[in-house]
Amino acid sequence: MKFLVIFIQFLVLYGFYLAGEWMSEFLNLPLPGSVIGFLLLFAALALKIYPLRWIESGAQFLLMFLSLYFIPATVGVMNYGDVFTGKGIWLIAIGVFSTLLTMAVSGYLSQRTVQSPREREVE
Amino acid sequence: MAIFLLSMLFAGLTIILYLVLNSLYVKYRWTVLTPVLTTTVALIAILLVFDIPYDRYMLGGQWIGSLLGPAVVALAVPLYKQRDLLLQSLLPIVIGVSGGTVVGMFSGMLLARAFHFSEEVVLTILPKSITTPVAMQLAEGFGGIPSLAAVFVMVAGFTGILAGPWLLKVLRIDSPIGRGIGLGSSAHGLGTSKAFEYGPDEASMSSVAMTLSAVIGSFLGPAIVWLFF
């Protein structure tokens, strides 16, 4: 029974994803279907169009293995071995450094603005 | 029929390896044992040893990859449950994610230029901190190489989950919003999977950051290209 509920809720999630894909294509939006589907589901929940308990256990189950779904894409790195040999090794270094910089700036900025909203507004 | 069985084999192998290696990670909690990293390395090793091309692996691999779309949609659920935190922190979220996206795009582009990489490669590295499908679309629109863009997205993702916790600690970014926004802005969905290990607040912040950076990047990226190329 529990499994059936999860499966049906998975199909609903897939439906939102397909709706997102469809909107992305026909409205020529720069965002992919998954991100549009995410926004659609959030809007449906926030506007109380779709109740949380009809999606909650399916979403929780799917998100338990979130990093699994990236693996087929990450294995694709094997086709790019030659790009990163020789001088290309610097591309990895640049990617790593730039990512850490992004994390530092975004994390620091958001944490600082939360800690002292008044102070920041005065500045 | 043979193709179907082969696809089943590759999909099954991916799931079994992931579950086994994940239990290893749960037991020891060492960063190098992160299941997405160990499973990727194990699969690449198996494919190389048996001389199986990536395209053939993807016959089954794509089944698992196709779960990523609905999983991104599912992120709306934990976010909705944390909606109060989201509303309270709207301004810090927008400031953090915008700042991170601008710095991420500029630093990648300027550094790749400084090392005299071809314009095609510079344009490809630009969207690396954005979730894979958007990054590939953007790279294509810029005149970069979409499949290589996906590789840079993976470099960003792995950097986020492997070095991220260390960096956050060193910089004393220790609030749920700081951690979540940092991971999601720099390392998209992989960063978000890491954020789930911290807690529900971090996970929601990270999924917001991932979505918002995709939206901001979709506008900022073309603007940068138009200005500098």
PDB file of all heavy atoms in Angstrom, chain A residues 5 13 17-18 22 25-26 32 37 39-40 49 51 59 91 98 108 111 113 123:
ATOM      1  N   VAL A   5       1.302   4.126  -2.913  1.00  0.00           N
ATOM      2  CA  VAL A   5       1.165   5.571  -2.674  1.00  0.00           C
ATOM      3  C   VAL A   5       2.393   6.304  -3.215  1.00  0.00           C
ATOM      4  O   VAL A   5       2.279   7.296  -3.940  1.00  0.00           O
ATOM      5  CB  VAL A   5       0.985   5.855  -1.162  1.00  0.00           C
ATOM      6  CG1 VAL A   5       1.134   7.350  -0.879  1.00  0.00           C
ATOM      7  CG2 VAL A   5      -0.367   5.358  -0.692  1.00  0.00           C
ATOM      8  N   LEU A  13       4.727  13.662  -9.652  1.00  0.00           N
ATOM      9  CA  LEU A  13       5.953  14.459  -9.795  1.00  0.00           C
ATOM     10  C   LEU A  13       6.420  14.446 -11.245  1.00  0.00           C
ATOM     11  O   LEU A  13       6.834  15.468 -11.793  1.00  0.00           O
ATOM     12  CB  LEU A  13       7.065  13.898  -8.889  1.00  0.00           C
ATOM     13  CG  LEU A  13       6.868  14.135  -7.389  1.00  0.00           C
ATOM     14  CD1 LEU A  13       7.834  13.289  -6.581  1.00  0.00           C
ATOM     15  CD2 LEU A  13       7.073  15.614  -7.066  1.00  0.00           C
ATOM     16  N   TYR A  17       6.924  17.481 -13.954  1.00  0.00           N
ATOM     17  CA  TYR A  17       8.144  17.612 -14.762  1.00  0.00           C
ATOM     18  C   TYR A  17       7.799  17.730 -16.250  1.00  0.00           C
ATOM     19  O   TYR A  17       8.317  18.605 -16.955  1.00  0.00           O
ATOM     20  CB  TYR A  17       9.051  16.400 -14.503  1.00  0.00           C
ATOM     21  CG  TYR A  17      10.176  16.229 -15.481  1.00  0.00           C
ATOM     22  CD1 TYR A  17      11.183  17.189 -15.596  1.00  0.00           C
ATOM     23  CD2 TYR A  17      10.229  15.111 -16.306  1.00  0.00           C
ATOM     24  CE1 TYR A  17      12.203  17.036 -16.502  1.00  0.00           C
ATOM     25  CE2 TYR A  17      11.258  14.949 -17.216  1.00  0.00           C
ATOM     26  CZ  TYR A  17      12.241  15.909 -17.318  1.00  0.00           C
ATOM     27  OH  TYR A  17      13.244  15.757 -18.229  1.00  0.00           O
ATOM     28  N   LEU A  18       6.888  16.871 -16.729  1.00  0.00           N
ATOM     29  CA  LEU A  18       6.500  16.922 -18.148  1.00  0.00           C
ATOM     30  C   LEU A  18       5.799  18.236 -18.482  1.00  0.00           C
ATOM     31  O   LEU A  18       6.027  18.821 -19.545  1.00  0.00           O
ATOM     32  CB  LEU A  18       5.584  15.732 -18.489  1.00  0.00           C
ATOM     33  CG  LEU A  18       6.268  14.366 -18.512  1.00  0.00           C
ATOM     34  CD1 LEU A  18       5.261  13.274 -18.866  1.00  0.00           C
ATOM     35  CD2 LEU A  18       7.428  14.342 -19.507  1.00  0.00           C
ATOM     36  N   TRP A  22       7.046  20.857 -21.232  1.00  0.00           N
ATOM     37  CA  TRP A  22       6.132  21.344 -22.254  1.00  0.00           C
ATOM     38  C   TRP A  22       6.122  22.880 -22.287  1.00  0.00           C
ATOM     39  O   TRP A  22       6.235  23.498 -23.340  1.00  0.00           O
ATOM     40  CB  TRP A  22       4.735  20.792 -21.961  1.00  0.00           C
ATOM     41  CG  TRP A  22       3.727  21.107 -23.004  1.00  0.00           C
ATOM     42  CD1 TRP A  22       3.513  20.432 -24.166  1.00  0.00           C
ATOM     43  CD2 TRP A  22       2.810  22.205 -22.989  1.00  0.00           C
ATOM     44  NE1 TRP A  22       2.506  21.052 -24.868  1.00  0.00           N
ATOM     45  CE2 TRP A  22       2.062  22.135 -24.177  1.00  0.00           C
ATOM     46  CE3 TRP A  22       2.546  23.241 -22.080  1.00  0.00           C
ATOM     47  CZ2 TRP A  22       1.079  23.051 -24.485  1.00  0.00           C
ATOM     48  CZ3 TRP A  22       1.569  24.162 -22.390  1.00  0.00           C
ATOM     49  CH2 TRP A  22       0.843  24.062 -23.580  1.00  0.00           C
ATOM     50  N   GLU A  25       9.325  24.328 -23.710  1.00  0.00           N
ATOM     51  CA  GLU A  25       9.429  24.244 -25.166  1.00  0.00           C
ATOM     52  C   GLU A  25       8.491  25.221 -25.865  1.00  0.00           C
ATOM     53  O   GLU A  25       8.899  25.985 -26.723  1.00  0.00           O
ATOM     54  CB  GLU A  25       9.122  22.814 -25.606  1.00  0.00           C
ATOM     55  CG  GLU A  25       9.484  22.561 -27.057  1.00  0.00           C
ATOM     56  CD  GLU A  25       9.336  21.097 -27.424  1.00  0.00           C
ATOM     57  OE1 GLU A  25       9.505  20.251 -26.525  1.00  0.00           O
ATOM     58  OE2 GLU A  25       9.026  20.801 -28.585  1.00  0.00           O
ATOM     59  N   PHE A  26       7.211  25.211 -25.444  1.00  0.00           N
ATOM     60  CA  PHE A  26       6.226  25.982 -26.190  1.00  0.00           C
ATOM     61  C   PHE A  26       6.242  27.468 -25.877  1.00  0.00           C
ATOM     62  O   PHE A  26       5.883  28.282 -26.705  1.00  0.00           O
ATOM     63  CB  PHE A  26       4.830  25.391 -26.001  1.00  0.00           C
ATOM     64  CG  PHE A  26       4.656  24.118 -26.761  1.00  0.00           C
ATOM     65  CD1 PHE A  26       4.896  22.900 -26.163  1.00  0.00           C
ATOM     66  CD2 PHE A  26       4.309  24.150 -28.114  1.00  0.00           C
ATOM     67  CE1 PHE A  26       4.778  21.722 -26.882  1.00  0.00           C
ATOM     68  CE2 PHE A  26       4.195  22.978 -28.840  1.00  0.00           C
ATOM     69  CZ  PHE A  26       4.431  21.762 -28.225  1.00  0.00           C
ATOM     70  N   PRO A  32      15.013  24.982 -17.878  1.00  0.00           N
ATOM     71  CA  PRO A  32      14.645  23.619 -18.253  1.00  0.00           C
ATOM     72  C   PRO A  32      13.346  23.207 -17.569  1.00  0.00           C
ATOM     73  O   PRO A  32      12.926  23.824 -16.581  1.00  0.00           O
ATOM     74  CB  PRO A  32      15.810  22.796 -17.724  1.00  0.00           C
ATOM     75  CG  PRO A  32      16.309  23.556 -16.567  1.00  0.00           C
ATOM     76  CD  PRO A  32      16.104  25.005 -16.906  1.00  0.00           C
ATOM     77  N   GLY A  37       8.950  22.865 -13.520  1.00  0.00           N
ATOM     78  CA  GLY A  37       8.100  21.941 -12.770  1.00  0.00           C
ATOM     79  C   GLY A  37       8.208  22.176 -11.268  1.00  0.00           C
ATOM     80  O   GLY A  37       7.206  22.135 -10.547  1.00  0.00           O
ATOM     81  N   LEU A  39       8.945  25.044  -9.832  1.00  0.00           N
ATOM     82  CA  LEU A  39       8.224  26.283  -9.533  1.00  0.00           C
ATOM     83  C   LEU A  39       6.715  26.053  -9.569  1.00  0.00           C
ATOM     84  O   LEU A  39       5.976  26.577  -8.730  1.00  0.00           O
ATOM     85  CB  LEU A  39       8.632  27.386 -10.524  1.00  0.00           C
ATOM     86  CG  LEU A  39      10.101  27.828 -10.435  1.00  0.00           C
ATOM     87  CD1 LEU A  39      10.475  28.735 -11.600  1.00  0.00           C
ATOM     88  CD2 LEU A  39      10.389  28.548  -9.111  1.00  0.00           C
ATOM     89  N   LEU A  40       6.247  25.232 -10.530  1.00  0.00           N
ATOM     90  CA  LEU A  40       4.810  24.925 -10.633  1.00  0.00           C
ATOM     91  C   LEU A  40       4.317  24.195  -9.388  1.00  0.00           C
ATOM     92  O   LEU A  40       3.270  24.537  -8.827  1.00  0.00           O
ATOM     93  CB  LEU A  40       4.541  24.050 -11.859  1.00  0.00           C
ATOM     94  CG  LEU A  40       4.607  24.701 -13.242  1.00  0.00           C
ATOM     95  CD1 LEU A  40       4.405  23.653 -14.323  1.00  0.00           C
ATOM     96  CD2 LEU A  40       3.552  25.800 -13.369  1.00  0.00           C
ATOM     97  N   ILE A  49      -3.629  24.625  -3.971  1.00  0.00           N
ATOM     98  CA  ILE A  49      -4.322  23.938  -5.066  1.00  0.00           C
ATOM     99  C   ILE A  49      -4.115  22.433  -4.920  1.00  0.00           C
ATOM    100  O   ILE A  49      -4.991  21.637  -5.195  1.00  0.00           O
ATOM    101  CB  ILE A  49      -3.778  24.413  -6.438  1.00  0.00           C
ATOM    102  CG1 ILE A  49      -4.060  25.898  -6.627  1.00  0.00           C
ATOM    103  CG2 ILE A  49      -4.374  23.595  -7.577  1.00  0.00           C
ATOM    104  CD1 ILE A  49      -3.372  26.499  -7.830  1.00  0.00           C
ATOM    105  N   PRO A  51      -2.749  19.510  -2.150  1.00  0.00           N
ATOM    106  CA  PRO A  51      -2.364  19.335  -0.736  1.00  0.00           C
ATOM    107  C   PRO A  51      -1.024  18.633  -0.560  1.00  0.00           C
ATOM    108  O   PRO A  51      -0.685  17.728  -1.338  1.00  0.00           O
ATOM    109  CB  PRO A  51      -3.503  18.495  -0.144  1.00  0.00           C
ATOM    110  CG  PRO A  51      -4.176  17.862  -1.297  1.00  0.00           C
ATOM    111  CD  PRO A  51      -3.879  18.660  -2.539  1.00  0.00           C
ATOM    112  N   ALA A  59       7.818  12.408  -2.663  1.00  0.00           N
ATOM    113  CA  ALA A  59       8.953  13.333  -2.802  1.00  0.00           C
ATOM    114  C   ALA A  59      10.084  12.943  -1.867  1.00  0.00           C
ATOM    115  O   ALA A  59      11.253  12.919  -2.262  1.00  0.00           O
ATOM    116  CB  ALA A  59       8.500  14.764  -2.527  1.00  0.00           C
ATOM    117  N   LEU A  91      42.286  23.922 -16.338  1.00  0.00           N
ATOM    118  CA  LEU A  91      40.837  24.144 -16.399  1.00  0.00           C
ATOM    119  C   LEU A  91      40.161  23.592 -15.145  1.00  0.00           C
ATOM    120  O   LEU A  91      39.229  24.187 -14.617  1.00  0.00           O
ATOM    121  CB  LEU A  91      40.241  23.487 -17.637  1.00  0.00           C
ATOM    122  CG  LEU A  91      40.423  24.238 -18.943  1.00  0.00           C
ATOM    123  CD1 LEU A  91      39.884  23.407 -20.095  1.00  0.00           C
ATOM    124  CD2 LEU A  91      39.705  25.581 -18.893  1.00  0.00           C
ATOM    125  N   SER A  98      37.167  28.757  -8.799  1.00  0.00           N
ATOM    126  CA  SER A  98      36.027  29.631  -9.055  1.00  0.00           C
ATOM    127  C   SER A  98      34.786  29.153  -8.299  1.00  0.00           C
ATOM    128  O   SER A  98      33.983  29.957  -7.814  1.00  0.00           O
ATOM    129  CB  SER A  98      35.781  29.685 -10.558  1.00  0.00           C
ATOM    130  OG  SER A  98      34.591  30.333 -10.846  1.00  0.00           O
ATOM    131  N   TYR A 108      28.766  33.743   2.505  1.00  0.00           N
ATOM    132  CA  TYR A 108      29.116  34.847   3.396  1.00  0.00           C
ATOM    133  C   TYR A 108      28.096  35.983   3.298  1.00  0.00           C
ATOM    134  O   TYR A 108      27.610  36.485   4.309  1.00  0.00           O
ATOM    135  CB  TYR A 108      30.521  35.357   3.068  1.00  0.00           C
ATOM    136  CG  TYR A 108      30.998  36.438   4.005  1.00  0.00           C
ATOM    137  CD1 TYR A 108      31.506  36.111   5.260  1.00  0.00           C
ATOM    138  CD2 TYR A 108      30.920  37.782   3.637  1.00  0.00           C
ATOM    139  CE1 TYR A 108      31.925  37.108   6.131  1.00  0.00           C
ATOM    140  CE2 TYR A 108      31.340  38.774   4.504  1.00  0.00           C
ATOM    141  CZ  TYR A 108      31.841  38.438   5.746  1.00  0.00           C
ATOM    142  OH  TYR A 108      32.248  39.412   6.606  1.00  0.00           O
ATOM    143  N   GLN A 111      24.740  34.961   4.880  1.00  0.00           N
ATOM    144  CA  GLN A 111      24.841  34.872   6.344  1.00  0.00           C
ATOM    145  C   GLN A 111      24.953  36.259   6.981  1.00  0.00           C
ATOM    146  O   GLN A 111      24.325  36.548   7.981  1.00  0.00           O
ATOM    147  CB  GLN A 111      26.044  34.013   6.738  1.00  0.00           C
ATOM    148  CG  GLN A 111      26.253  33.924   8.239  1.00  0.00           C
ATOM    149  CD  GLN A 111      27.097  32.732   8.650  1.00  0.00           C
ATOM    150  OE1 GLN A 111      26.811  31.594   8.290  1.00  0.00           O
ATOM    151  NE2 GLN A 111      28.157  32.987   9.381  1.00  0.00           N
ATOM    152  N   THR A 113      23.903  39.182   5.752  1.00  0.00           N
ATOM    153  CA  THR A 113      22.680  39.984   5.638  1.00  0.00           C
ATOM    154  C   THR A 113      21.602  39.480   6.594  1.00  0.00           C
ATOM    155  O   THR A 113      20.752  40.254   7.008  1.00  0.00           O
ATOM    156  CB  THR A 113      22.139  39.994   4.191  1.00  0.00           C
ATOM    157  OG1 THR A 113      22.367  38.718   3.622  1.00  0.00           O
ATOM    158  CG2 THR A 113      22.823  41.048   3.368  1.00  0.00           C
ATOM    159  N   GLU A 123      23.929  51.041   5.606  1.00  0.00           N
ATOM    160  CA  GLU A 123      25.148  51.215   4.820  1.00  0.00           C
ATOM    161  C   GLU A 123      24.905  51.796   3.432  1.00  0.00           C
ATOM    162  O   GLU A 123      24.168  51.325   2.659  1.00  0.00           O
ATOM    163  CB  GLU A 123      25.864  49.867   4.667  1.00  0.00           C
ATOM    164  CG  GLU A 123      26.728  49.547   5.855  1.00  0.00           C
ATOM    165  CD  GLU A 123      27.307  48.129   5.825  1.00  0.00           C
ATOM    166  OE1 GLU A 123      27.238  47.494   4.765  1.00  0.00           O
ATOM    167  OE2 GLU A 123      27.789  47.698   6.860  1.00  0.00           O
TER     168      GLU A 123
END
